[in-house]
Amino acid sequence: MRYDHGHPFLAIPGPSVIPDDVLRAMHRPAVNIYEGPLIDLTHSLYPDLKRIVGTEGEAFIYISNGHGAWEAALANVFSGGESVLVLESGMFALGWGEIASRMGLDVEILNAPKRCGVDPNAVEARLRGDTGHSIKAVLVVQIDTSSGVWNDIAAIRQAMDGAGHPALLMVDCIAATGCVPCEMDAWNVDVVVSACQKGLMTPPGLGLVFANQKAMAAHRENGCRSSYWDWTPRANPERYYQLFAGTAPVQHLFGLRQALDMIFAEGSDAVYQRHRAIARGVRAAVEHWGRGGPIELNVIDPIARSDSVTTILTGEIDADAMRAICEIDFEVTLGIGLGQTVNAFRIGHMGHINPPMLLGTLGSIEMALTRMNAPFSAGGVEAAAVCMAETINNQD
Ligand SMILES: *Cc1c(COP(=O)(O)O)cnc(C)c1O
């Protein structure tokens, strides 16, 4: 029996739910891309994006998805053959490393312990061993969307400083921007990579890269720039169209403007608190379900659990069958397990989300598990509701 009237729920970790106001802001004909309101609107985006990642460095907006932003960052600071250290904590750090490797960089991977975040002590030990300072950059993901790990970027920077190593610190914040705090300058991060389709609530299509002075200096020394990604003309455009190396992504810029307005109207601290309360609700539900069976949170250390996406292991319960019931019968789309050796699924809880959207998602999962006769402890929705209410009270 299908229930296909009402609002469908998208609970995947990107693209996330797009607010109607963002869609409306985008629903307009093409405008003049040489002069007029689009130019001012575009220039207004840069300071606001920098505010969200906490930097006074340079910001670049590319017409691309996150993979493009990954490549943009790498193409600007390296020449072929240099070494990078990738701090693995899930599939996405590996994905970035793979691109680096295909671009001719020498990639070394430092694996996190299974189901854990990056261990700063291991980073410090590895960098101390690099006495010749051949590692040019450390690549890490703030929230790895496959494992659901949140990495402590400030602690990783401290580990690098502890080792006295001069490598650049480059961080993928794609699943974190607009969901959890990012303090690029305070944490002394040299490059931040992001994208618009997760916490920034805009349809996929804008890749974001931020660079501090040290990264810009590395860029100036880089001998093999690619024309499209090149920071130099984008940082100091003589003409507006150089900002995008061609036609501006007109409708996306209007959409992103609206999304940023919504974030600042709510207040970025309030946005982070909302993500925190909702994420705690997810975790309370999963822990409750697990009392009567194999369901459990993937990330073992509570500190390393992300506030924007949760990866859930299901043991002998068929996660794909559960997802299919949710999707086909209840119109709730959940994230597939990525890179897990066991049954898993993911819940995206980033961007335009509130408690009823989450409770509806969790309730549908419970219905699916019940219909499957799966071994789990019913009542996760109630546990999530109580946990969110308590968290919200404590935040007041
Ligand atoms: C989504 C995501 C990416 C990839 O972004 P695409 O837009 O799919 O290319 C990279 N890193 C992280 C952490 C992500 O969440």
Side-chain angles (χ1 to χ4, degrees), residues 242-301:
Q242 289 182 326
L243 276 176
F244 300 101
T247 304
V250 176
Q251 281 74 10
H252 271 80
L253 298 175
F254 283 100
L256 181 61
R257 179 66 269 160
Q258 176 63 34
L260 293 171
D261 287 346
M262 291 171 71
I263 288 172
F264 292 125
E266 184 178 355
S268 43
D269 286 343
V271 169
Y272 303 145
Q273 290 202 339
R274 175 166 53 80
H275 280 83
R276 169 54 57 94
I278 285 174
R280 293 197 58 191
V282 176
R283 299 194 279 259
V286 174
E287 283 176 334
H288 185 96
W289 292 335
R291 283 187 204 140
I295 292 177
E296 61 178 330
L297 294 163
N298 179 48
V299 180
I300 296 164
D301 179 2

Side-chain angles (χ1 to χ4, degrees), residues 315-366:
E316 74 264 24
I317 300 171
D318 184 342
D320 289 342
M322 186 280 290
R323 278 193 312 101
I325 295 174
C326 283
E327 167 120 57
I328 296 164
D329 295 353
F330 306 146
E331 295 203 286
V332 175
T333 307
L334 300 166
I336 58 172
L338 275 185
Q340 306 291 340
T341 48
V342 282
N343 255 330
F345 69 100
R346 294 172 302 151
I347 301 176
H349 35 94
M350 48 176 65
H352 193 57
I353 181 164
N354 61 16
M357 291 162 76
L358 178 71
L359 292 170
T361 299
L362 297 174
S364 302
I365 294 170
E366 261 191 66

Side-chain angles (χ1 to χ4, degrees), residues 93-315:
L94 294 176
W96 198 8
E98 170 120 13
I99 288 184
S101 164
R102 280 197 237 147
M103 289 170 78
L105 299 172
D106 191 2
V107 176
E108 176 183 335
I109 291 163
L110 184 66
N111 286 300
K114 232 174 151 6
R115 300 175 59 189
C116 294
V118 169
D119 173 8
N121 294 326
V123 178
E124 181 166 342
R126 175 62 194 95
L127 291 178
R128 276 187 195 280
D130 181 35
T131 46
H133 293 170
S134 66
I135 295 171
K136 176 132 187 231
V138 171
L139 273 52
V140 63
V141 178
Q142 190 181 9
I143 289 178
D144 197 301
T145 321
S146 63
S147 58
V149 156
W150 170 86
N151 284 310
D152 185 344
I153 303 301
I156 291 169
R157 165 48 80 186
Q158 273 175 19
M160 294 173 68
D161 291 347
H165 199 288
L168 294 169
L169 176 56
M170 304 176 69
V171 184
D172 169 350
C173 296
I174 295 175
T177 309
C179 306
V180 299
C182 175
E183 293 293 343
M184 175 171 166
D185 290 355
W187 298 340
N188 202 6
V189 172
D190 300 299
V191 175
V192 159
V193 171
S194 195
C196 68
Q197 79 273 23
K198 300 196 180 177
L200 296 180
M201 308 181 290
T202 304
L206 300 178
L208 309 171
V209 181
F210 303 85
N212 70 4
Q213 287 305 318
K214 190 173 161 192
M216 292 307 288
H219 166 66
R220 283 190 288 276
E221 284 162 23
N222 163 1
C224 61
R225 297 180 196 169
S226 84
S227 146
Y228 182 74
W229 301 122
D230 195 349
W231 286 342
T232 297
R234 290 174 183 258
N236 292 302
E238 287 158 32
R239 300 245 155 69
Y240 173 77
Y241 69 74
Q242 289 182 326
L243 276 176
F244 300 101
T247 304
V250 176
Q251 281 74 10
H252 271 80
L253 298 175
F254 283 100
L256 181 61
R257 179 66 269 160
Q258 176 63 34
L260 293 171
D261 287 346
M262 291 171 71
I263 288 172
F264 292 125
E266 184 178 355
S268 43
D269 286 343
V271 169
Y272 303 145
Q273 290 202 339
R274 175 166 53 80
H275 280 83
R276 169 54 57 94
I278 285 174
R280 293 197 58 191
V282 176
R283 299 194 279 259
V286 174
E287 283 176 334
H288 185 96
W289 292 335
R291 283 187 204 140
I295 292 177
E296 61 178 330
L297 294 163
N298 179 48
V299 180
I300 296 164
D301 179 2
I303 302 284
R305 291 172 183 157
S306 107
D307 284 347
S308 62
V309 52
T310 299
T311 300
I312 298 148
L313 307 181
T314 60

